[in-house]
Amino acid sequence: NAGVTQTPKFQVLKTGQSMTLQCAQDMNHNSMYWYRQDPGMGLRLIYYSASEGTTDKGEVPNGYNVSRLNKREFSLRLESAAPSQTSVYFCASSADRGQYFGPGTRLTVL
Amino acid sequence: LAKTTQPISMDSYEGQEVNITCSHNNIATNDYITWYQQFPSQGPRFIIQGYKTKVTNEVASLFIPADRKSSTLSLPRVSLSDTAVYYCLVGETGGYNKLIFGAGTRLAVHP
């Protein structure tokens, strides 16, 4: 099992550009999550999906949209990137015990 | 969601036992306590989870007193590779668990 995979690993955008971060899990988990982590801080929840077909806002959803494409895949879209969105983005999935995290995408917005 | 408080940083030496305490005064009846470990440039990794009393696995022990208002993660005989940030989280589990990560405890293990 690959667990949780994320693409790309690194990305540099200019202000106003758009992009989609991809996440996939092969553990048959119902719930999936997107977090961002700024330097020296804990993770903040952007959006989550409790099950296929449902999505809900987390702590910091402004500037982002998500799509739960199927049970395996949960994508995060930045429609018009801003420098404040420079961060490391983590995707996670969960079953009964704990969340499993991907390796992260390091995004820089210039 | 219950708020947690834990020390910002701790220092230890190789071979010592490390105990990191987390307070969660507003823990709800259905909440579990979960600890994660995060190395630089990696996503957090699940360490241990418990509801009450003591839980032990191959890497750590988790002690939870009867009132459940605090918990202690115990790492036996730490090594340099245990240098990481440790997060204590409280929330419901069972397939869907929206969790709030605080700043965590930055543990530095010295030779």
Side-chain angles (χ1 to χ4, degrees):
Chain A
N1 286 350
V4 179
T5 57
Q6 293 182 235
T7 56
K9 286 186 170 53
F10 301 92
Q11 184 70 48
V12 178
L13 293 177
K14 295 181 180 178
T15 297
Q17 287 185 318
S18 63
M19 80 160 295
T20 300
L21 282 64
Q22 306 287 353
C23 173
Q25 53 94 7
D26 61 3
M27 296 173 282
N28 202 35
H29 290 167
N30 285 322
S31 302
M32 297 186 72
Y33 312 80
W34 275 105
Y35 294 87
R36 62 176 287 175
Q37 185 173 34
D38 299 326
M41 298 183 67
L43 282 75
R44 291 186 291 171
L45 183 64
I46 304 172
Y47 270 93
Y48 61 98
S49 171
S51 61
E52 185 179 355
T54 68
T55 61
D56 285 288
K57 296 178 180 179
E59 187 183 357
V60 289
N62 291 343
Y64 306 94
N65 285 301
V66 291
S67 295
R68 184 73 183 267
L69 304 170
N70 47 55
K71 192 171 187 178
R72 289 187 64 249
E73 298 172 290
F74 189 37
S75 63
L76 178 72
R77 182 161 178 83
L78 287 70
E79 290 292 350
S80 179
S84 61
Q85 293 177 305
T86 293
S87 190
V88 180
Y89 291 84
F90 290 103
C91 175
S93 68
S94 71
D96 288 338
R97 290 171 62 86
Q99 295 185 6
Y100 295 82
F101 287 81
T105 294
R106 189 173 297 274
L107 175 66
T108 301
V109 183
L110 303 175
Chain B
L1 295 169
K3 178 178 164 56
T4 61
T5 303
Q6 50 184 124
I8 294 174
S9 63
M10 295 182 67
D11 289 274
S12 184
Y13 293 89
E14 285 189 291
Q16 290 189 333
E17 178 184 73
V18 171
N19 295 309
I20 306 174
T21 297
C22 178
S23 68
H24 27 79
N25 292 320
N26 296 323
I27 190 168
T29 303
N30 294 336
D31 287 343
Y32 280 72
I33 300 153
T34 311
W35 286 80
Y36 289 83
Q37 174 192 56
Q38 187 179 26
F39 298 113
S41 301
Q42 294 186 25
R45 183 176 73 101
F46 172 91
I47 301 175
I48 196 166
Q49 184 180 77
Y51 185 80
K52 61 181 179 181
T53 64
K54 176 183 175 182
V55 179
T56 297
N57 61 23
E58 62 277 6
V59 298
S61 294
L62 178 59
F63 298 92
I64 306 168
D67 66 5
R68 303 200 328 121
K69 293 184 184 299
S70 67
S71 59
T72 299
L73 174 72
S74 181
L75 304 172
R77 298 180 299 282
V78 294
S79 64
L80 296 176
S81 62
D82 292 314
T83 293
V85 179
Y86 293 82
Y87 296 98
C88 163
L89 292 95
V90 172
E92 293 190 36
T93 186
Y96 158 60
N97 38 50
K98 188 173 76 167
L99 301 172
I100 302 295
F101 281 79
T105 297
R106 192 170 299 272
L107 173 66
V109 179
H110 306 281

